[in-house]
Amino acid sequence: MLRLADLREMLRYVPHYRDKVFVIAVDGAVVESDNFRNLLLDVALLRSLRIGVALVHGAGHQVRKLAEQTGQTPSNIDGTGVTDAATLQLAIAAATRVTHEMLEGLSATDLRGAATNALVAHPAGILQGVDHLWTGKVERIDIAFLRSLLDNDIIPVIAPLGCDGEGNTYRLNSDA
């Protein structure tokens, strides 16, 4: 139960964070949780206070589930190890599903969202003698693009995938 004193305490922070942007990392498993809708209501509250929000999500949980359903063995689950071609396809499918579920949830909360290609990535390369194949590193983030979405009351939804200038997709770890 929220007390009036608690509300007053929270309200003193609002002017400090107004017109700022919160980047919220959401584990892929949270999207399947009963509490996911409450998280989106919290996002709606932040937006009503003129606080921008960008959602960055993971998809390791969904990669694991999709691999079990299809009888595949992923080369890694969280995007930090070697990503072979088959695991990249699992990761793309899983991340696309999570992004869509987030967009559905935002719509149900009367918020607008957009999936982005704001992460420019390059291959992680050979690390300690091991080629990480389709695992990538973030090279840059298109801040101007994200800002244009935020300025138009659109919440960017950022998947753990990035593309290079040649159209290749790389798997990223959402925590990075």
Side-chain angles (χ1 to χ4, degrees), residues 16-73:
H16 180 71
Y17 292 108
R18 183 171 287 136
D19 299 321
K20 302 283 194 261
V21 176
F22 287 7
V23 177
I24 300 174
V26 180
D27 188 273
V30 171
V31 175
E32 295 181 10
S33 164
D34 292 337
N35 206 27
F36 180 59
R37 298 291 181 198
N38 292 330
L39 171 69
L40 294 176
L41 289 174
D42 293 341
V43 169
L45 174 63
L46 291 171
R47 291 297 307 126
S48 74
L49 298 172
R50 286 190 13 221
I51 296 170
V53 175
L55 298 173
V56 177
H57 71 79
H61 174 77
Q62 285 78 5
V63 167
R64 184 179 293 111
K65 283 179 57 175
L66 187 56
E68 289 171 6
Q69 291 169 358
T70 59
Q72 297 182 59
T73 303

Side-chain angles (χ1 to χ4, degrees), residues 73-85 87-88 124-127 129-136 171:
T73 303
S75 56
N76 80 75
I77 297 297
D78 65 0
T80 58
V82 175
T83 300
D84 61 21
T87 301
L88 177 63
I126 298 173
L127 304 172
V130 177
D131 187 349
H132 278 60
L133 302 171
W134 297 103
T135 299
R171 182 151 183 233

